[in-house]
Amino acid sequence: MDLREAVGLGTGIAVNPLKGDAASLTPEEFEDRHGSAFLLLTAAELTVPRGPGATEVSLLDDLPRGESTAGLSLMVFPLRSDESAPGGLVTIGRASNSDLRVPDLSISRFHAFAKRGEDGYWRIHDAGSTNGTTVNGRNAAQQGYGEPEVLKTGATLRLGQVEFTFLELDALLGYLAKL
């Protein structure tokens, strides 16, 4: 059982393995292994809420010291689709079959969909989630009911009560090099 399974972190990856890969792989090899876009979560352990609508986020004390910055554990969620997904659509949610899975009850089983556009920018639609999706404080339209929100490096993405920072490959590699 790996660390993600042991502490219920969904498809998140601790920073140390990514830091090692960033140092030893070419950017192309890193992209082949991990993808080209990522959601960075700075408070790593998501736990089962104690009441309806509540979200409890806590730090991981069990992670090796090198995976901590300013006292916060870091997790990276690669934004990658299943190879069989139509048109590169990435499903995001709490369900076990989501491409990007975050085990927090404020995130719906099928919460949002992301896709890289022909212009190279990632876009996100809400999937009719209970608690919504926002990008830099703007509500993302539900799929089929408006234009998707564009994700650019540094954007704040909120799924339910969980907040991420969107990073493209170059930004993540630069960040990992500084750790």
Side-chain angles (χ1 to χ4, degrees):
M1 176 183 302
D2 72 8
L3 179 62
R4 288 179 298 178
E5 293 175 51
V7 294
L9 295 175
T11 56
I13 302 170
V15 170
N16 256 6
L18 289 179
K19 184 178 175 184
D21 282 354
S24 65
L25 302 173
T26 67
E28 294 79 17
E29 292 169 332
F30 188 94
E31 182 175 358
D32 285 345
R33 183 172 293 175
H34 299 291
S36 64
F38 308 88
L39 298 181
L40 178 68
L41 176 67
T42 56
E45 185 177 5
L46 303 173
T47 58
V48 178
R50 293 203 166 101
T55 299
E56 185 177 317
V57 180
S58 60
L59 300 178
L60 287 177
D61 294 327
D62 298 338
L63 290 177
R65 196 78 174 128
E67 295 178 17
S68 175
T69 299
L72 294 178
S73 299
L74 300 174
M75 294 298 296
V76 177
F77 289 77
L79 199 54
R80 299 185 74 151
S81 66
D82 179 324
E83 299 296 325
S84 64
L89 192 67
V90 177
T91 59
I92 302 169
R94 199 177 73 236
S96 62
N97 62 342
S98 296
D99 296 316
L100 191 154
R101 183 170 38 85
V102 183
D104 185 272
L105 289 180
S106 73
I107 295 177
S108 296
R109 288 177 11 89
F110 297 104
H111 196 98
F113 300 95
K115 183 177 180 179
R116 189 177 206 155
E118 291 178 12
D119 60 2
Y121 289 114
W122 282 85
R123 290 171 170 73
I124 192 163
H125 266 120
D126 188 79
S129 68
T130 301
N131 293 316
T133 302
T134 64
V135 177
N136 295 328
R138 290 179 44 144
N139 289 330
Q142 186 174 340
Q143 189 173 26
Y145 293 97
E147 293 298 313
E149 287 294 316
V150 175
L151 295 172
K152 294 182 181 178
T153 288
T156 299
L157 174 65
R158 181 178 284 275
L159 304 169
Q161 297 299 312
V162 183
E163 190 169 279
F164 299 91
T165 300
F166 175 79
L167 297 174
E168 293 174 282
L169 179 63
D170 291 343
L172 179 66
L173 291 175
Y175 176 75
L176 292 172
K178 293 177 185 177
L179 292 179

